[in-house]
Amino acid sequence: AFSDKLAIGICQFRRQTAMDTGMEVYDTTKYRDLLDLEAKIEFNFEYLRILEYGDKNNGIRGYLSLFRSKMYQQAKDLYEEYYPLKEENDRLIQDFKKKFFGYAKKDEDFDDRLKEKDSIDKCCFLLSTYSLESKNKYGYNELLNSLHAISAYNYGPEALEYKHNGFPKSGETINHVSEAAKFYCKINDFNL
């Protein structure tokens, strides 16, 4: 499994998160070209996010905010910068994916994220850690602590910061947590 955010394996770990849990990721000296490509993609991700959503800390507005404020020309100008960079980054992601899995075919111990058992073990560890952090911080019930854990797993541990109340305003994370909640309700015959 491989996402357009460079999350890899059955449990969708990005490289830094995998390393933070003790997983061995690809050798950055042996596969320097992968590291350079990943760094370029990550840089583009951040800039694309700013173009799209802005940066409130620095008073920068993204094209979505400008469009909502009916500042159509400024929104159009930013979008015209955003769109070609997004296309270029999508090509870089495909290049990374091709190289990553090409190297993985040749090297059995290339990256632990491709080892299902290791990936699932680390996923369970992170979810339980985030759930406990949520319980200690918010004192919620088991379901909400679990949903906070899923939110932090998807978005990153900063999702548990007070300013987010455990649920950041990220469309991807909101959708991910919503699907998990629906699934929980379905299997437990429970209504939220």
Side-chain angles (χ1 to χ4, degrees):
F2 184 94
S3 82
D4 63 355
K5 299 287 191 219
L6 303 184
I8 296 170
I10 191 168
C11 292
Q12 296 287 278
F13 280 101
R14 293 181 71 188
R15 185 168 62 87
Q16 188 59 52
T17 305
M19 291 178 359
D20 290 346
T21 65
M23 296 175 88
E24 294 290 327
V25 298
Y26 65 86
D27 183 336
T28 57
T29 53
K30 186 175 179 181
Y31 302 105
R32 183 68 192 190
D33 59 330
L34 265 185
L35 181 64
D36 291 343
L37 193 51
E38 189 169 12
K40 172 78 171 151
I41 292 166
E42 293 286 349
F43 177 83
N44 287 348
F45 279 154
E46 184 59 27
Y47 190 58
L48 286 165
R49 187 194 62 73
I50 291 169
L51 288 173
E52 188 171 8
Y53 299 107
D55 182 354
K56 290 181 182 175
N57 294 332
N58 293 308
I60 300 170
R61 296 179 71 183
Y63 75 81
L64 291 174
S65 171
L66 291 168
F67 185 80
R68 283 188 215 105
S69 298
K70 299 182 181 182
M71 300 173 77
Y72 300 121
Q73 187 58 51
Q74 294 95 324
K76 180 179 178 267
D77 292 345
L78 277 185
Y79 185 76
E80 286 175 354
E81 185 177 352
Y82 171 88
Y83 188 74
L85 181 59
K86 172 84 168 82
E87 285 188 323
E88 176 195 337
N89 214 44
D90 288 346
R91 283 191 298 277
L92 292 174
I93 291 166
Q94 291 310 311
D95 289 348
F96 180 89
K97 180 180 181 180
K98 184 177 177 181
K99 285 183 177 194
F100 184 91
F101 287 107
Y103 291 140
K105 285 180 182 177
K106 297 175 187 173
D107 184 350
E108 184 179 305
D109 292 322
F110 174 68
D111 196 300
D112 285 350
R113 292 175 289 179
L114 298 175
K115 297 175 182 175
E116 291 176 9
K117 184 184 181 315
D118 290 352
S119 188
I120 291 169
D121 285 349
K122 296 301 184 182
C123 173
C124 292
F125 169 76
L126 272 183
L127 286 172
S128 62
T129 300
Y130 293 149
S131 182
L132 184 58
E133 285 179 27
S134 173
K135 181 181 180 185
N136 291 338
K137 186 168 200 133
Y138 300 105
Y140 290 142
N141 65 31
E142 183 179 314
L143 172 59
L144 282 174
N145 290 329
S146 296
L147 293 177
H148 273 146
I150 292 167
S151 174
Y153 187 85
N154 180 272
Y155 186 82
E158 60 273 15
L160 292 173
E161 293 177 12
Y162 178 76
K163 66 182 177 181
H164 294 301
N165 291 321
F167 299 108
K169 293 179 180 179
S170 159
E172 178 187 342
T173 301
I174 291 166
N175 290 337
H176 191 74
V177 171
S178 296
E179 288 302 312
K182 286 180 201 171
F183 182 74
Y184 176 88
C185 292
K186 182 178 179 180
I187 64 172
N188 289 289
D189 194 29
F190 178 77
N191 291 318
L192 279 179

